[in-house]
């Protein structure tokens, strides 16, 4: 049962979902109301919405990701840094055990972050489209807390949160205008600099600079990286995790790039990190074409 | 009026498709039904053109006279909902982009009986797209879902159809 | 050598050239060819009899018409299709003469690189014949016979190719064949434009049969008096604007006949003021290499249909073909073109200049003037035909100006043509029939002339509105004609009631026919206008801005005009072509991932899929979690997917029309285009269905 709940994109059990079997890629689109067999003629006669509403009610009785709310205040906003530090430690040691070289460890961390970045882009933008004050009364338990997102596919812990059965009003109803999609490299970087950084670390990043040497290079500066503050004396750059997040955001927003991390210690900030975003040449070409 | 809806991934691959029809009155004629995915696929060219325009309303695809229809409804600073992006022999095609550039596209057919041109109700179509967008974000939040993979969840399917019934096929 | 005009247009007879690229500027060449000067061929019975004996052709016209088109291309001497004439080549010792042909071919100029279109020529039957067979209604083309023609042409293609023949150029050629057939009609004489009105007339004499000065004089007199003797001679044709030239045919080996010709030519020049061409038509050399005559590109629809049904082939000896081309070049360069230029400058001086100097852009004066010669009742410059339609006479200033513009167009002087059409369009404001055609050619002369400097703004503000206005005027003229016809009909009914039943009966039937036609007639003009405009828009160098207009017009044809099924499919194909060429010029050099992959290595694509399947095994490719991005910079600046859709529809329609060869060719393209898209490869997909259907017929 657990399997079915957490895995809605892969598991299809027709027995528990009599009305709809979900989208089947090999079949193509299905009509809203598949022609009902003659035996269930009463349902068909009861009107066009009979079949699907019963199906829908069958779904809602089951706990599912679709019952949760995306509202920021629907969940606890904060997670203990200590708890996350343990998780992060486990993440790193897992990567280390599976890898043969330093760069491979970093690559694994990068990939972990990448999938988070893809999700953050959609989630944060969608959230900021909602008019302020909408649906803030909700008090259900944490679902999309920072932990669950950051741990991504590495944990099953979030199953516990999937207990809400009541349907909340969708956030989309509270949206009058969707936030603008970012079309320029600077715009999307500012989104990372402010929105994303605030969401992840509780503050905006310290600086966003354009490289004076290369057209396609930008630098995000974090004087005191939060994730790696308990990590020292290693040649593994654990902030590749954050690089992955940034790259995931930029890639899925169609700004293909490479993000690398460089330690640039300063007297007051021993761990000062500079994230170098190097966009692919075609991003600039597109800029020029669309100017 | 029957609609054909699809979410298209980064490689032109549909990750979700559905037909919103009414079995008694409104259905796509068979010859159109089999062409639908192709018509939708074709309008991706125009969707992508609009995707990167700073003011997609003003730079509407020439050759259609629908440009002014769009600018009326969509607000000037929102570029997720693109309104009617294309037309094909009496069919209207609307488009919507998520922040991760997933393409939400729909083919609207007019009433087959009287052959009247399709009138797209921008307000309800837009809110349909936004609701589906929310469902998509929720899908994406599932760690077992991979980007660009088909969304096979029956719950998702059921919800989308319920939304379509509420907002589109009245 | 690049593909010549004729080779391209008759590509089906030149299968060795099917892999070459589409010739540059071909659309403009076709338009030039379609409106090239018309030369009527007047022969006499003795001569025709002699031709029949010697060549097996019905008349001199039937012989000469093969030499139309671009005469500098010498297309008929170049028919070297392997499949067509293997036997003849062997028996007549063609091997000996081939090197000779090769050298000639090299020295021959290629029409596709010449800007001047004056080398094009069309031949028709004598004017009297044209008037006699002129239909009461005014159709530029008959979609029904066009359909018959396409049917024949397609089966010809099917006979001469295999499913594996490279088809890209053949399909282009097919469209252009359709295009030129659709826009041209050699026989129809329109009162509103002078493209089909003869410019020159060849009066032929057979010297070997002792025809002499008297026969020549007789021919000329009957030619000059044609308008008095021919019933229903249209008032919009002026015989004195047609250049008569004698064609003296003699035996090549006979010195005596040659001298006779020369003295006769001198006499004709001195006494009748008419030039002569000497043509050694009767050639006794049996050993010379022969060439089968190909139908000229610019044939009227009827002729094309006729010839596709008639399998008979005619051949002439190569030296004779070359001689005829030599004489025609002389005729064109030394007689016809100077004549046209003389006329143009005369009209310019006598009509155009005075107008310009007296009324420099003054609206008031123009009004004063245009209120005068409008073709209302009892006006001098307008005449009526027997159906009650008002025409400008051939001698009226309006029609002469129109002719001036048309002839400038024929001689590729598009600047003069444009300015004349433009000033004329102000005069024609009250007569939509004239206005429409005038506006149409005004726009076309911009498109023909100012190729590289046509900007977005020009298209949007000048050319497109001109065409739109032309189309509206055509429609207006149709409704007017309808009203007028209704009026005539009702009055003739009254007449019928009042008595004279015998007299009105035939008349009535004629009118019944014409009542239904104004709409069709206007539509045939509209269709031509849109086809022309679409094709010329496509020929512009900035394809990104120009193709939407081409697409718009072609779609309008499909939507609003009556065209046959096969024509429709051809237009669908063309639409796909339009979309394919809609690429932003700035990204033309860029390649997308699909291009890199190449068209034919489908297996590679499959390999890639397997790799992504193995993604879960993450030890091998640590970096493949990145999203694959397809040429981000060029995104949205092409219409390849649109093109694919239209090709798919074309393939579907070919299947419906049971044209299996075309269907399989088009389907091949479609499959390649959708090779990357998984949704198209579903078992239930239309592609699968089409593939099965086609495979039943085209293994």
């Amino acid at each position: 049962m657990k399997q079915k709940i957490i895995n809605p994109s892969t598991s299809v059990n027709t027995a528990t979902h009599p009305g709809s079997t979900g989208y089947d890629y090999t079949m193509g689109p299905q009509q809203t109301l598949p022609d009902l067999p003659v035996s269930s003629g009463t349902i068909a006669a009861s009107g066009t919405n009979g079949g699907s509403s019963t199906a829908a009610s069958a779904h809602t009785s089951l706990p599912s990701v679709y019952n949760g709310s995306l509202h920021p205040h629907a969940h606890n906003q904060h997670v203990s840094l200590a708890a996350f530090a343990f998780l992060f430690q486990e993440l790193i040691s897992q990567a280390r055990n599976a890898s043969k070289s330093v760069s491979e460890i970093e690559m694994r961390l990068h990939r972990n972050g990448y999938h988070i970045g893809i999700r953050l882009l959609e989630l944060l933008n969608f959230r900021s489209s909602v008019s302020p004050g909408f649906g803030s009364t909700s008090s259900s338990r944490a679902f999309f807390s920072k932990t669950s997102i950051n741990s991504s596919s590495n944990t099953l812990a979030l199953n516990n949160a999937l207990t809400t059965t009541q349907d909340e009003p969708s956030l989309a109803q509270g949206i009058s205008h969707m936030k603008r999609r970012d079309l320029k490299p600077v715009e999307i970087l500012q989104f990372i600099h402010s929105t994303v950084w605030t969401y992840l670390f509780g503050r905006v990043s310290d600086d966003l600079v354009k490289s004076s040497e290369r057209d396609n290079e930008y630098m995000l500066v974090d004087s005191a990286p939060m994730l790696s503050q308990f990590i020292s004396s290693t040649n593994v750059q654990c902030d590749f995790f954050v690089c992955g997040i940034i790259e995931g955001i930029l890639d899925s927003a169609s700004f293909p790039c490479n993000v690398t991390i460089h330690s640039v210690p300063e007297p007051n900030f021993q761990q000062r990190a500079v994230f170098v975003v190097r966009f692919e040449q075609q991003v600039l070409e597109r800029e020029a074409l669309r100017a | 009026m029957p609609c054909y809806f699809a979410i298209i991934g980064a490689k032109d691959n549909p990750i979700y498709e559905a037909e919103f029809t009414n079995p008694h009155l409104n259905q796509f004629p068979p010859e159109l039904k089999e062409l639908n995915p192709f018509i939708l696929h074709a309008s991706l060219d125009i969707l992508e053109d609009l995707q990167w325009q700073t003011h997609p309303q003003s730079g509407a695809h020439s050759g259609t006279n629908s440009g002014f229809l769009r600018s009326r409804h969509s607000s000037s600073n929102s570029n997720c909902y693109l309104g009617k992006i294309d037309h094909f022999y009496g069919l209207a095609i609307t488009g919507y982009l998520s922040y991760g550039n997933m393409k939400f596209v729909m083919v609207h057919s007019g009433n087959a009986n009287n052959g009247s041109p399709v009138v797209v109700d921008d307000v309800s179509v837009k809110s349909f797209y936004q609701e589906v967008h929310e469902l998509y974000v929720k899908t994406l939040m599932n760690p077992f879902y991979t980007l660009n993979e088909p969304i096979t969840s029956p719950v998702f399917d059921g919800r989308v159809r319920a939304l379509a019934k509420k907002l589109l096929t009245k | 050598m690049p593909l010549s005009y004729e080779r391209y247009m008759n590509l089906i007879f030149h299968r060795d050239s099917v892999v070459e690229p589409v010739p540059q500027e071909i659309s403009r060449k076709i338009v030039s060819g379609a409106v090239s000067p018309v030369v009527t061929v007047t022969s006499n019975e003795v001569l025709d009899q002699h031709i029949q004996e010697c060549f097996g052709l019905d008349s001199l016209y039937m012989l000469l018409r093969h030499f139309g088109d671009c005469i500098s291309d010498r297309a008929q001497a170049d028919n070297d299709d392997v499949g067509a004439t293997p036997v003849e080549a062997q028996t007549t010792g063609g091997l000996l003469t081939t090197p000779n042909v090769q050298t000639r071919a090299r020295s021959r100029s290629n029409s596709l690189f010449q800007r001047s279109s004056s080398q094009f020529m069309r031949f028709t039957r004598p004017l009297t014949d044209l008037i006699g067979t002129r239909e009461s209604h005014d159709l530029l083309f008959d979609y029904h016979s066009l359909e018959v023609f396409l049917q024949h042409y397609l089966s010809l293609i099917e006979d001469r190719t295999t499913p594996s023949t490279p088809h890209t150029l053949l399909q282009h050629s097919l469209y252009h064949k359709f295009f030129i057939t659709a826009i041209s009609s050699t026989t129809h004489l329109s009162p509103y434009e002078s493209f089909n009105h003869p410019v020159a007339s060849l009066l032929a004499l057979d010297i070997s049969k002792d025809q002499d000065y008297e026969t020549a004089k007789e021919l000329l007199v009957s030619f000059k008096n044609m308008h008095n003797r021919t019933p229903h001679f249209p008032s919009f044709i002026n015989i004195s604007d047609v250049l008569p030239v004698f064609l003296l045919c003699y035996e090549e080996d006979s010195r005596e006949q040659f001298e006779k010709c020369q003295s006769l030519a001198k006499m004709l020049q001195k006494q009748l003021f008419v030039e002569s061409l000497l043509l050694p038509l009767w050639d006794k050399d049996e050993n010379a290499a022969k060439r089968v005559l190909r139908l000229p590109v610019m044939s009227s629809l009827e002729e094309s249909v006729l010839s596709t049904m008639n399998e008979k082939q005619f051949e002439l000896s190569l030296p004779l073909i070359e001689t005829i081309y030599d004489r025609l070049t002389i005729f064109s360069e030394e007689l016809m073109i100077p004549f046209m230029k003389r006329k143009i400058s005369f009209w310019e001086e006598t009509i155009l200049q005075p107008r310009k100097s007296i009324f420099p852009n003054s609206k008031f004066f123009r009004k004063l003037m245009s209120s005068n010669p409008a073709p209302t009742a009892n006006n001098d410059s307008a005449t009526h035909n027997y159906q009650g339609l008002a025409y400008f006479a051939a001698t009226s200033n309006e029609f002469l100006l129109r002719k001036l513009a048309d002839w400038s167009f024929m001689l590729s002087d598009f600047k003069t043509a444009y300015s004349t059409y433009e000033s004329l369009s102000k005069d024609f404001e009250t007569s939509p029939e004239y206005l429409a055609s005038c506006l149409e050619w005004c726009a076309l002369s911009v498109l023909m002339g100012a190729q590289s400097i046509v900007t977005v703004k020009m298209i949007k503000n000048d050319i497109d509105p001109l065409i739109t206005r032309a189309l509206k005027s055509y429609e207006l003229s149709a409704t007017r004609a309808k009203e007028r016809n209704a009026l005539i009909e009702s009055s003739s009914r009254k007449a019928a009631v009042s008595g004279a039943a015998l007299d009105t009966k035939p008349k009535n039937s004629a009118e019944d026919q014409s009542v239904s036609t104004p709409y069709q007639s206007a539509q045939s003009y509209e269709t031509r206008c849109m086809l022309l405009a679409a094709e010329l828009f496509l020929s512009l160098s900035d394809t990104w801005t120009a193709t939407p207009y081409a697409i718009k017009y072609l779609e309008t044809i499909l939507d609003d005009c009556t065209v046959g099924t096969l024509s429709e499919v051809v237009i669908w194909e063309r639409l796909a072509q339009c979309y394919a060429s809609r690429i932003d010029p700035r990204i033309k050099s860029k390649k997308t991932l699909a291009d890199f992959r190449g068209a034919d290595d489908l297996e590679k694509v499959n390999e890639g899929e397997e790799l992504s399947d193995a993604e879960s095994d993450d030890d091998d490719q640590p970096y493949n979690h990145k999203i694959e991005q397809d040429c981000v910079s060029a995104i949205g600046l092409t219409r390849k997917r649109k093109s694919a859709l239209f090709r798919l529809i074309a393939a579907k329609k070919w299947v419906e029309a049971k044209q299996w060869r075309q269907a399989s060719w088009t389907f091949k393209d479609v499959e390649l285009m959708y090779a990357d898209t998984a949704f198209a490869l579903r078992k239930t997909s239309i592609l699968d269905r089409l593939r099965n259907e086609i495979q039943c017929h085209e293994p």
Side-chain angles (χ1 to χ4, degrees), chain A residues 8-9 23 119 122 170 181, chain B residues 17 79 98 131 140 145 152:
Chain A
S9 72
Y23 169 60
R119 289 162 165 84
E122 289 278 4
S170 66
R181 280 182 301 115
Chain B
E17 291 169 277
N79 58 2
S98 86
E131 295 275 2
L140 195 61
Y145 173 74
T152 55

Side-chain angles (χ1 to χ4, degrees), chain B residues 19-137:
Chain B
E19 257 176 40
F20 306 136
T21 52
N22 175 327
H24 303 302
L25 298 166
N26 297 318
Q27 276 192 315
F28 284 111
E31 70 269 20
L32 205 59
K33 193 178 156 84
E34 59 181 4
L35 273 180
N36 266 334
F38 295 89
I39 294 169
L40 191 130
H41 179 254
S43 58
L44 293 183
D45 269 335
I46 291 154
L47 186 77
E48 282 179 354
D49 198 356
L50 295 170
Q51 183 179 0
W52 294 104
Q53 283 176 17
T54 343
H55 299 290
Q57 304 82 338
S58 55
H61 168 59
S62 52
T64 76
N65 44 12
S66 63
F68 67 98
L69 275 174
R70 167 169 43 240
S71 52
R72 240 185 350 182
H73 282 294
S74 52
S75 90
S76 59
N77 61 354
S78 174
N79 58 2
C80 282
Y81 178 59
L82 296 166
K84 184 181 167 189
I85 54 169
D86 198 7
H87 68 125
F88 186 84
Y89 290 87
L91 303 171
I93 293 122
T94 56
Y96 180 95
L97 283 161
S98 86
Y99 295 102
N101 291 312
M102 285 291 135
K103 301 169 184 113
F104 295 47
V105 202
M106 191 150 45
V107 178
H108 305 258
S109 162
N111 201 330
N113 299 331
N114 53 20
S116 58
V118 193
V119 183
V120 175
D121 177 9
D122 271 313
V123 179
S124 60
V125 171
K126 187 179 163 194
S127 47
F128 171 77
Y129 277 126
Q130 287 175 356
E131 295 275 2
V132 177
H133 188 180
E134 182 173 358
L135 289 175
Y136 169 71
V137 177

Side-chain angles (χ1 to χ4, degrees), chain C residues 409-424:
Chain C
F409 197 98
M410 289 176 191
L411 296 179
S412 302
D413 183 359
F414 301 113
K415 213 174 148 191
T416 316
Y418 172 77
S419 59
T420 316
Y421 284 129
E422 204 201 10
S423 74
L424 254 181

Side-chain angles (χ1 to χ4, degrees), chain B residues 11-12 14 17 31 34-35 37-39 41-42 44-46 48-49 52 61-62 86 88-89 147, chain C residues 544 558-559 572 582 627 635-636 638-642 645 648-649 652 674 677 679-680 682 686 689:
Chain B
K11 282 177 278 181
D12 287 5
E17 291 169 277
E31 70 269 20
E34 59 181 4
L35 273 180
F38 295 89
I39 294 169
H41 179 254
L44 293 183
D45 269 335
I46 291 154
E48 282 179 354
D49 198 356
W52 294 104
H61 168 59
S62 52
D86 198 7
F88 186 84
Y89 290 87
L147 192 76
Chain C
W544 177 254
L558 284 177
D559 280 352
W572 281 104
R582 182 143 198 248
I627 302 168
I635 197 166
T638 64
R639 294 289 180 266
K640 291 205 175 106
R641 286 175 275 208
K642 275 264 173 200
L645 170 66
L648 171 67
I649 291 172
K652 190 182 154 196
Y674 285 112
T677 46
F679 75 89
R682 277 183 202 132
I686 178 173
R689 184 170 68 78

Side-chain angles (χ1 to χ4, degrees), chain C residues 200-212:
Chain C
S201 184
L202 286 176
L203 310 171
L205 289 180
D206 190 354
I207 301 301
S208 66
K209 297 282 179 201
D210 291 330
Q211 290 189 319
D212 53 7

